[in-house]
Amino acid sequence: MTDTWPLAHLPPRAADSHKGDYGRVLIVGGSRGMYGAPALAGMAMLRGGAGLVQVATPRECQPVVAGFEPAYMTVGLTADNDGRLAEAAIAELEALRDWPDVVAVGPGLGRSVGVDRVVAELFTTWTQPIVVDADGLNALARQPELLNRAGGPRILTPHPGEFQRLAGAVGHKLSSAMNSRAEHEAAAQQLAGQWGVVIVLKGHHTLVTDGTRSAHNTTGNPGMATGGAGDVLTGLIAALVGQHLAPIDAARLAVHLHGLAGDAAAAALGQVSLTAGDVVRYLHTAIARA
């Protein structure tokens, strides 16, 4: 396993390029009371350079999610009585299948049988690269048989607790992440190779691995331990994949830029006052510096 290789770089944009050249990115997320998660991911996609972004969210959430950002599109999906995606949303998403170049699923979805079935359908049958985070990962942990049935390139972005659930679902009984980071990283490398996915194991010195290559990130600060920061990372990874970077290169560059944006935000605002929205607002600084 290598711990360093050159960071990828986005090429300069051609003078005659158009928005279709920079990726059509779809995010599936949100539920009653968790409107901000897909919105943050969508805003990060735009700041990360995606040409077109669409947020698919429960129909009751759509007006609120749309109100965060005028530059992305939204589509409303069928939800259950608790405001979480229902199984009927699978057919509605099918109508969108040919639109995106890359998909992100998970932020703010909540947990339910309907959500599990939506995630299962996307994970196993859609051929586009998919970034899976948050409740998308929890849905996979409840259906571990899916992890070897990815329909295309997949990037999983668990924090330590989510990774512990994923690994435990396939028989890895890990110690507490606080006590055994090395154990978690070894399992992440093994499972990334076994499942044929990229795993972004978040935390201090986030690990990015595909089971063959591995690297630790060195940017970021404790101020980024705040709600929504992971949603921003999800959006940024998807945006970079949409701009034709390989999944592992997109994940590694996104983690670097995400931390760099957090460092710039902390320098201006302090760590205590830093919010996930600030990370989005400072992404332009990170991209200019990288």
Side-chain angles (χ1 to χ4, degrees):
M1 303 271 182
T2 61
D3 200 56
T4 58
W5 71 91
L7 276 171
H9 292 280
L10 293 172
R13 296 194 168 195
D16 61 349
S17 62
H18 58 84
K19 58 192 175 185
D21 294 329
Y22 302 111
R24 297 185 303 273
V25 186
L26 174 69
I27 178 165
V28 181
S31 59
R32 185 180 300 158
M34 291 193 284
Y35 312 109
L40 282 165
M43 290 187 284
M45 290 168 179
L46 292 166
R47 284 291 185 190
L52 289 164
V53 174
Q54 187 163 198
V55 184
T57 193
R59 198 162 286 117
E60 71 173 71
C61 303
Q62 185 181 4
V64 179
V65 172
F68 281 101
E69 173 55 64
Y72 56 52
M73 300 170 283
T74 60
V75 60
L77 303 175
T78 299
D80 62 20
N81 290 334
D82 296 313
R84 296 183 291 258
L85 288 183
E87 188 172 0
I90 292 173
E92 296 163 339
L93 286 167
E94 184 65 25
L96 299 173
R97 186 192 283 252
D98 293 336
W99 183 82
D101 299 307
V102 58
V103 180
V105 59
L109 278 178
R111 305 186 193 185
S112 70
V113 172
V115 167
D116 287 352
R117 291 175 179 166
V118 170
V119 172
E121 177 71 14
L122 293 170
F123 190 85
T124 60
T125 73
W126 285 41
T127 58
Q128 298 96 327
I130 298 181
V131 184
V132 187
D133 187 31
D135 285 319
L137 296 169
N138 291 323
L140 292 178
R142 290 190 293 275
Q143 306 169 93
E145 69 280 2
L146 304 180
L147 289 161
N148 286 311
R149 294 171 48 199
R154 302 293 182 254
I155 302 170
L156 312 185
T157 63
H159 60 54
E162 290 162 344
F163 181 70
Q164 196 158 6
R165 286 190 286 276
L166 278 172
V170 294
H172 285 252
K173 303 304 181 185
L174 301 177
S175 305
S176 166
M178 295 296 291
N179 298 327
S180 185
R181 177 72 179 183
E183 181 186 6
H184 281 234
E185 291 189 357
Q189 291 168 343
Q190 178 186 339
L191 292 173
Q194 178 180 321
W195 296 334
V197 303
V198 173
I199 293 179
V200 178
L201 182 58
K202 295 184 288 196
H204 183 54
H205 292 166
T206 290
L207 175 75
V208 180
T209 182
D210 63 1
T212 300
R213 293 188 295 174
S214 299
H216 289 92
N217 185 54
T218 58
T219 60
N221 64 83
M224 299 175 71
T226 185
D231 304 317
V232 175
L233 178 60
T234 295
L236 184 55
I237 294 172
L240 297 182
V241 174
Q243 292 169 85
H244 313 297
L245 293 186
I248 192 166
D249 291 329
R252 186 168 175 231
L253 179 58
V255 170
H256 173 79
L257 293 173
H258 181 255
L260 204 58
D263 289 341
L269 304 168
Q271 293 183 5
V272 173
S273 297
L274 194 153
T275 70
D278 297 323
V279 179
V280 174
R281 283 185 281 275
Y282 280 88
L283 277 175
H284 73 286
T285 300
I287 292 169
R289 290 178 181 175

